[in-house]
Amino acid sequence: MKTILVISAILAIVASGTAQTTIQGSITDNWGNSLPGVNVFLKGTYDGTSSLSDGTYTFKTNEYGSHVIVYQCIGFENFEQQINLSLSTISINVVMKEKADKLEEVVISAGAFEASDKKKSVVLKPLDIVTTASSNADIYGTINCLPGASTSAEDGRLIVRGGEAEETKTFIDGLLMPVPYHANLPETPTRGKFLPFSFDGMMFSSGAYSAEYGDALSSIVNLNTKDESARTETQLMLMSVGTQINREQKIKKSTMTLSGGFSHLGPYFSLMQDKVEWEKAPVNANGLIQFRTKPSENSMLKVYAQSNFGNKSIIYDNINSDNKYTIGMKTYDFYGGVNFSQTMENNGQIYAGISYMNTYENIDIVSINNNDINKYFIHTKLRYKKIFTSRISIATGAESKLEQQTIKYSSSYEKDSASETSLNINSAFVESRFRITEKIASQTGLRIESIDHEILVLPRTSLAWSINEQNMFSFAYGKYAQRLSYPENEYLEKSSQAEHYVLNYQYEKFNRVFRIELFNKTYSKLPLQSNNQITTNGDGYAQGIDIFYRDETTIDGLEYWISYSFTNTERHYKDYEKSIQPLFVRKHSLSLVMKQYISKLSSFYGISYNFGSGLPYFHKSISGYSLETTPELHDISFNYTYIFDFFMNKAYLYSSVSNVLARKNIYGYEYKNEPSENGSYERRELYNGSKPFIIIALGVTL
Amino acid sequence: MKKTFISLALVLMSSVALLANNFSDILKNTVTEFDTTAGFEAKSAVLQKIERIALAEPDEWLAQYYAAYAYVFINYLAENKDMQDNLLDKGLEYLNKGIALNENESELYALLALWYSSKMGVAPAARGAKYAGKLNEALAIALAKNDKNPRTYFLKGQFAYHAPASFGGGKEAALTFFQTADELFKDSTNTNPLFANWGEYTNLEMLKTTKNELAGK
């Protein structure tokens, strides 16, 4: 009797020790897909399991009574539920919600190239600016090698899909940088004003860009300044053409960059005779201050200020005059931008920024006339964005751009004059990003601009369909407007307009990208000169196809890309008597860019080949003008960088040669006013020098 | 009566013994299981076991350490870069919890250095400059907390081996580090709070390779 009691007591104790409840179910996401790899467990215990590939899960627990069951998966919001464990099997099916910021990861590639650390796409990388051979460490030189930008070595500015250089606007951290290029004298190309290491991200939109931006008929470039410096250090760069010194300073939670430099092309040009006769070879001084701080964990304040001073003078030869002119150009400018952004707990983001620029230009044609041009620009911008769920977000903002210009003209032959113009553009936008299905996302918005008495309503929309991880189709459409000036420095009474349609297919796998894009743009209200009157009756169109392929895997350490653009465009505007291909557009543009790091030699090298079909020009003959094409442009550039130790400090030796072929890339002709005896008109070739341009630089980090 | 009492007590004790597994043993067994499991999905399931232990024992720095360790070591098997970043970021959460619990433990900083090196590995060209400095800082702290941690020297060796001489690297420097690490790994009196020893085998491999390469020059 007693033994039975004891045995049953023992059995009861053992049984209660192994009494288990089974918990099971299936887990899906908010799109209805089963979710494998979800960590399911009872809070505070080790009991749990991972969901299987079909989204089901099952586990047993010895726990008893009231508990909380937790579901956890990367990319999703945690899900918790109160349950009561009482030995009977519990079935719980769960739907997990994607984290809201998943919406931001959706990329709509139509018309846009983006390079940043967060977007790990292979298409464009921040380092490309320095490593692309033909760029001469100029951001615009690199963008020039991308599809959408037609080869424009003669100019140096971006010519995008048949649009003039003025139709592309540059922004820094979302704020307008009105004059990003150095001023250029006739027959000399220009370049961007930026130091390559100021930025760690860039977005180039060759068309159909978002409602957040405006006043650019063709495209926009948005440069993102570095969030922080890696460490406190000083860098010194000695170049064959000048010096630059950089100081990165970390101060608690902030970082500051100070940079100053000076360049003088005199010694270089006296060694390597240039085509242009310099009276004063270009001298340039620059200064830069960047400051970033995080007032709180989720906010950032950034300041970017740069200043440039330049002086140069050429002895200019015109085919129609017996004398040579001396043209001098003095420039000074200052640009400053401050922006503040903050992410709030409820997934709202605010942004506020202001930029200011003052440019001064004095162009002196000795003994003839003098132009003194002073320009001021202020851009203020506010933006609020709220990400509601991983399916929808809305952004809205308002901005104001103010521009003022004073020109003082004095001449030995005419009366002195002065003019003042100003332009004020106020705009607001609203834009929503939403996912129609798991694989289809759209960004649709509306922009309203008010300039004087003109009100513009500009819709924008884009759509992306991710067939799978590797393949994506996207489409974009938008209406764009810009107040152009014609003649130079005189704003028109109405804004010119353009409508963009872009269709894109992109394939990306294992560090290889293939991209093909079709575009169609129609222009209206372009400036047109007829009967000595300037109207806005000009129009035009641009259509074409861009093909891009980039590979960084096939050969170890070697990266290369091929970019081809075809642009078929005509405009009837400015002083064109009829609709013709604009004189600054090349029908075919091809860039082949290659770079490689050779660890055994501790070096980088890069090679670029740029090709452009000839530019149209008006050939003058006794029977009048006829439209012809200049010879093609071929340019091969090479750069080589060697990294070494300089008395315990990091150092590099950089060398680059552009126009290795020493080719005369003719972009036009200048004709004599009077014909010669045989009836033809003498002409002079216009080209930017045929000698290779060499830069050597030594950089040391102290 | 006495017999029944004793047998009852014995049964109770053994059933309690069956149920009471200590945290340290469970963690050790699970980590060994993680190390020996192959394949991303299967390894993830074991990672989640370690994670459950870390979440159930928020005051145990060792559990947080191993949750971070599992995330770092599984990231190499991820199928794309976004997933690598997500796994590493999740691992950092546990590593930070561990450091908050025990800021004097050198192993946490050695793992942090490995974390920086993995994060760099996702996008080396873009992130090299940013993370190289942080990696060296973490190793310096690890060294300061315990100058006999073999993993610190192993990681210094790895960094020196892959970085060009001008960045503080070079094969000669690497060899010295691998040798020091090897001696410390083999030294049985060199106590450490961990029961598993990552890095020992790889360190031996790197030591052999570096010796051969320098001899071949």
Side-chain angles (χ1 to χ4, degrees):
Chain A
M1 187 54 193
K2 261 191 191 166
T3 356
I4 296 172
L5 267 170
V6 167
I7 293 169
S8 2
I10 296 168
L11 282 172
I13 294 165
V14 171
S16 70
T18 57
Q20 294 189 317
T21 310
T22 304
I23 309 177
Q24 65 186 37
S26 70
I27 310 173
T28 55
D29 66 16
N30 48 317
W31 297 103
N33 304 312
S34 21
L35 266 187
V38 178
N39 199 349
V40 189
F41 58 95
L42 293 177
K43 207 177 212 176
T45 77
Y46 300 176
D47 296 347
T49 187
S50 309
S51 62
L52 304 172
S53 51
D54 59 1
T56 60
Y57 71 94
T58 176
F59 69 99
K60 294 188 169 50
T61 175
N62 286 338
E63 300 290 333
Y64 199 79
S66 175
H67 275 82
V68 174
I69 186 168
V70 182
Y71 298 78
Q72 204 172 295
C73 186
I74 291 180
F76 291 85
E77 306 278 353
N78 283 5
F79 179 82
E80 293 184 5
Q81 185 170 313
Q82 195 86 36
I83 55 171
N84 204 22
L85 298 164
S86 58
L87 297 182
S88 50
T89 303
I90 301 180
S91 252
I92 313 177
N93 294 331
V94 173
V95 175
M96 294 193 69
K97 261 177 33 186
E98 267 177 332
K99 279 216 165 98
D101 54 20
K102 181 83 194 254
L103 187 57
E104 300 296 274
E105 289 169 20
V106 174
V107 173
I108 301 179
S109 42
F113 277 88
E114 189 155 356
S116 71
D117 181 41
K118 285 162 219 97
K119 299 225 154 59
K120 283 165 282 291
S121 156
V122 154
V123 173
L124 189 67
K125 297 201 291 225
L127 266 186
D128 286 332
I129 297 164
V130 200
T131 53
T132 304
S134 53
S135 70
N136 291 328
D138 176 15
I139 285 168
Y140 298 102
T142 306
I143 301 177
N144 224 317
C145 297
L146 293 176
S150 93
T151 304
S152 62
E154 65 281 353
D155 187 303
R157 300 178 296 171
L158 288 179
I159 309 287
V160 178
R161 290 189 171 157
E164 279 201 49
E166 287 83 12
E167 295 170 28
T168 297
K169 290 269 164 95
T170 300
F171 296 82
I172 298 181
D173 291 336
L175 293 167
L176 183 66
M177 204 289 180
V179 188
Y181 305 102
H182 289 290
N184 57 337
L185 286 169
E187 286 166 65
T188 55
T190 186
R191 57 175 284 135
K193 288 182 181 153
F194 306 115
L195 298 170
F197 296 105
S198 304
F199 308 109
D200 67 6
M202 130 165 98
M203 190 268 288
F204 166 55
S205 175
S206 53
Y209 56 86
S210 131
E212 185 180 335
Y213 296 95
D215 200 43
L217 216 51
S218 278
S219 81
I220 56 166
V221 174
N222 184 29
L223 303 165
N224 290 314
T225 56
K226 273 209 292 235
D227 274 1
E228 58 168 346
S229 309
R231 59 190 84 92
T232 297
E233 61 187 11
T234 305
Q235 294 146 0
L236 178 65
M237 209 164 50
L238 297 162
M239 301 171 277
S240 46
V241 294
T243 306
Q244 189 78 28
I245 185 162
N246 227 58
R247 169 86 183 163
E248 310 267 354
Q249 182 80 45
K250 286 179 98 106
I251 319 155
K252 292 194 205 169
K253 283 204 172 127
S254 322
T255 45
M256 175 132 113
T257 304
L258 290 164
S259 189
F262 168 77
S263 78
H264 190 334
L265 272 82
Y268 177 84
F269 286 138
S270 55
L271 267 176
M272 310 276 298
Q273 256 301 309
D274 188 61
K275 167 188 163 274
V276 171
E277 205 183 324
W278 293 100
E279 203 248 341
K280 231 183 259 168
V283 165
N284 195 286
N286 69 68
L288 168 76
I289 299 178
Q290 273 183 268
F291 177 75
R292 323 127 199 116
T293 186
K294 300 194 82 173
S296 74
E297 185 57 45
N298 293 315
S299 63
M300 169 105 78
L301 179 73
K302 282 183 169 185
V303 177
Y304 177 95
Q306 70 170 82
S307 184
N308 274 280
F309 166 77
N311 192 356
K312 57 191 171 193
S313 177
I314 61 171
I315 297 174
Y316 185 66
D317 209 345
N318 186 312
I319 202 171
N320 282 310
S321 82
D322 303 315
N323 307 322
K324 296 189 184 181
Y325 302 101
T326 305
I327 309 180
M329 183 181 258
K330 279 202 187 82
T331 56
Y332 162 75
D333 65 63
F334 169 79
Y335 169 83
V338 180
N339 71 79
F340 172 78
S341 53
Q342 178 164 15
T343 306
M344 274 103 66
E345 265 151 31
N346 60 357
N347 278 325
Q349 296 167 6
I350 55 164
Y351 167 96
I354 181 164
S355 75
Y356 166 78
M357 185 162 200
N358 171 22
T359 67
Y360 169 75
E361 224 173 85
N362 182 303
I363 305 169
D364 189 50
I365 305 181
V366 176
S367 312
I368 313 269
N369 63 38
N370 182 295
N371 268 301
D372 210 73
I373 309 167
N374 240 311
K375 296 188 195 176
Y376 301 90
F377 306 82
I378 297 183
H379 179 209
T380 44
K381 180 169 168 180
L382 287 167
R383 184 185 68 210
Y384 175 73
K385 180 179 206 172
K386 167 101 175 164
I387 307 174
F388 292 100
T389 67
S390 70
R391 284 180 81 145
I392 184 162
S393 74
I394 295 191
T396 182
E399 60 183 359
S400 173
K401 289 183 194 137
L402 178 60
E403 195 180 309
Q404 204 163 316
Q405 185 173 267
T406 314
I407 302 180
K408 289 201 196 99
Y409 176 76
S410 61
S411 156
S412 325
Y413 300 102
E414 305 166 280
K415 209 173 84 148
D416 288 358
S417 68
S419 71
E420 249 188 53
T421 50
S422 67
L423 186 71
N424 178 219
I425 307 175
N426 296 315
S427 22
F429 81 93
V430 67
E431 190 163 60
S432 168
R433 193 163 237 255
F434 51 96
R435 288 160 82 191
I436 302 168
T437 74
E438 197 185 354
K439 303 214 185 277
I440 303 180
S442 166
Q443 186 167 289
T444 301
L446 188 70
R447 185 179 176 85
I448 302 192
E449 295 193 342
S450 158
I451 314 166
D452 297 331
H453 305 292
E454 188 182 28
I455 303 224
L456 299 157
V457 177
L458 308 163
R460 315 260 166 99
T461 183
S462 60
L463 191 81
W465 170 30
S466 301
I467 303 168
N468 53 36
E469 269 214 41
Q470 288 96 34
N471 295 283
M472 169 152 80
F473 271 104
S474 50
F475 165 79
Y477 162 78
K479 260 201 164 144
Y480 302 85
Q482 185 175 355
R483 270 297 169 97
L484 294 173
S485 48
Y486 184 70
E488 211 187 314
N489 298 320
E490 274 190 45
Y491 283 111
L492 302 165
E493 307 259 295
K494 264 197 261 180
S495 300
S496 306
Q497 294 188 23
E499 241 179 307
H500 297 192
Y501 294 86
V502 176
L503 185 64
N504 167 304
Y505 165 71
Q506 184 166 303
Y507 171 82
E508 187 172 343
K509 186 166 185 175
F510 297 143
N511 295 336
R512 279 193 206 100
V513 175
F514 171 74
R515 222 177 120 121
I516 183 165
E517 192 160 293
L518 293 152
F519 66 91
N520 183 356
K521 302 201 286 190
T522 49
Y523 298 97
S524 57
K525 302 197 176 63
L526 294 176
L528 180 65
Q529 186 176 316
S530 55
N531 305 328
N532 286 324
Q533 265 208 310
I534 300 182
T535 66
T536 50
N537 296 329
D539 56 28
Y541 68 86
Q543 302 156 341
I545 184 165
D546 295 335
I547 303 176
F548 180 79
Y549 176 71
R550 183 169 184 159
D551 181 331
E552 19 183 271
T553 307
T554 310
I555 301 170
D556 193 37
L558 178 72
E559 278 178 42
Y560 67 91
W561 84 67
I562 304 168
S563 159
Y564 168 73
S565 299
F566 170 72
T567 313
N568 173 25
T569 172
E570 280 189 8
R571 283 189 182 190
H572 182 206
Y573 87 138
K574 294 200 174 172
D575 58 355
Y576 295 175
E577 286 175 1
K578 56 182 167 71
S579 192
I580 55 161
Q581 179 176 324
L583 307 183
F584 50 83
V585 180
R586 297 179 189 274
K587 247 202 167 90
H588 305 272
S589 290
L590 176 75
S591 289
L592 177 55
V593 174
M594 211 168 94
K595 32 191 119 163
Q596 187 167 22
Y597 177 66
I598 308 176
S599 54
K600 282 210 176 86
L601 295 175
S602 192
S603 321
F604 279 97
Y605 77 86
I607 305 177
S608 297
Y609 167 64
N610 283 302
F611 163 81
S613 56
L615 289 166
Y617 72 94
F618 284 108
H619 173 68
K620 189 173 179 183
S621 67
I622 207 108
S623 38
Y625 287 99
S626 59
L627 210 49
E628 313 256 327
T629 312
T630 66
E632 297 160 343
L633 181 150
H634 296 272
D635 182 300
I636 295 186
S637 304
F638 177 73
N639 70 10
Y640 185 81
T641 311
Y642 172 60
I643 305 171
F644 61 100
D645 258 343
F646 186 74
F647 299 112
M648 302 278 279
N649 293 315
K650 271 186 290 188
Y652 61 88
L653 187 64
Y654 170 86
S655 59
S656 91
V657 187
S658 45
N659 196 12
V660 165
L661 299 171
R663 184 182 164 87
K664 204 195 278 183
N665 285 312
I666 298 167
Y667 63 84
Y669 300 92
E670 190 181 45
Y671 287 88
K672 252 192 138 68
N673 286 334
E674 306 302 331
S676 44
E677 287 127 16
N678 61 5
S680 65
Y681 287 83
E682 243 183 79
R683 69 183 191 182
R684 165 174 93 92
E685 295 165 334
L686 301 171
Y687 60 96
N688 285 332
S690 56
K691 288 225 167 70
F693 183 65
I694 304 172
I695 301 179
I696 300 178
L698 171 70
V700 187
T701 304
L702 304 164
Chain B
M1 196 53 198
K2 207 180 181 185
K3 254 197 190 164
T4 357
F5 179 72
I6 292 170
S7 2
L8 197 63
L10 280 170
V11 170
L12 276 170
M13 269 162 41
S14 59
S15 38
V16 166
L18 270 174
L19 298 171
N21 287 304
N22 72 30
F23 147 77
S24 188
D25 284 344
I26 298 180
L27 185 60
K28 178 179 183 172
N29 292 336
T30 319
V31 172
T32 309
E33 192 188 346
F34 176 81
D35 287 338
T36 52
T37 306
F40 183 77
E41 279 78 19
K43 219 171 169 89
S44 286
V46 189
L47 176 154
Q48 294 194 339
K49 282 192 199 173
I50 301 176
E51 193 171 17
R52 291 194 282 274
I53 299 173
L55 289 168
E57 310 277 1
D59 296 326
E60 292 282 355
W61 76 269
L62 195 62
Q64 312 308 315
Y65 171 88
Y66 272 111
Y69 161 94
Y71 273 107
V72 170
F73 279 85
I74 206 173
N75 111 85
Y76 304 115
L77 298 177
E79 61 177 15
N80 64 55
K81 295 185 177 172
D82 284 327
M83 177 155 298
Q84 281 181 293
D85 266 343
N86 289 335
L87 291 165
L88 287 168
D89 290 344
K90 192 84 185 139
L92 187 64
E93 284 175 29
Y94 293 104
L95 192 49
N96 285 333
K97 282 188 204 170
I99 292 175
L101 289 166
N102 188 354
E103 59 179 19
N104 284 319
E105 180 47 64
S106 109
E107 295 289 359
L108 287 161
Y109 298 99
L111 186 62
L112 183 62
L114 184 64
W115 187 91
Y116 282 125
S117 132
S118 308
K119 198 82 172 140
M120 227 162 63
V122 177
R127 295 179 181 176
K130 182 175 176 188
Y131 287 111
K134 296 197 174 174
L135 195 159
N136 279 316
E137 264 173 44
L139 285 175
I141 300 177
L143 209 60
K145 304 286 184 194
N146 176 11
D147 62 0
K148 292 208 165 32
N149 183 349
R151 273 163 287 281
T152 310
Y153 295 99
F154 163 60
L155 287 172
K156 280 175 97 76
Q158 284 279 61
F159 183 73
Y161 181 84
H162 287 110
S166 50
F167 286 82
K171 300 232 167 93
E172 287 84 5
L175 187 67
T176 325
F177 290 129
F178 289 138
Q179 275 167 337
T180 314
D182 190 50
E183 283 158 31
L184 289 167
F185 273 121
K186 297 207 159 84
D187 183 0
S188 55
T189 64
N190 189 15
T191 54
N192 72 76
L194 306 181
F195 33 77
N197 260 319
W198 61 266
E200 181 169 5
Y201 179 71
T202 316
N203 187 65
L204 208 51
E205 293 290 298
M206 289 306 298
L207 187 57
K208 271 190 252 170
T209 311
T210 317
K211 265 195 191 151
N212 290 336
E213 284 180 1
L214 283 172
K217 256 194 191 168

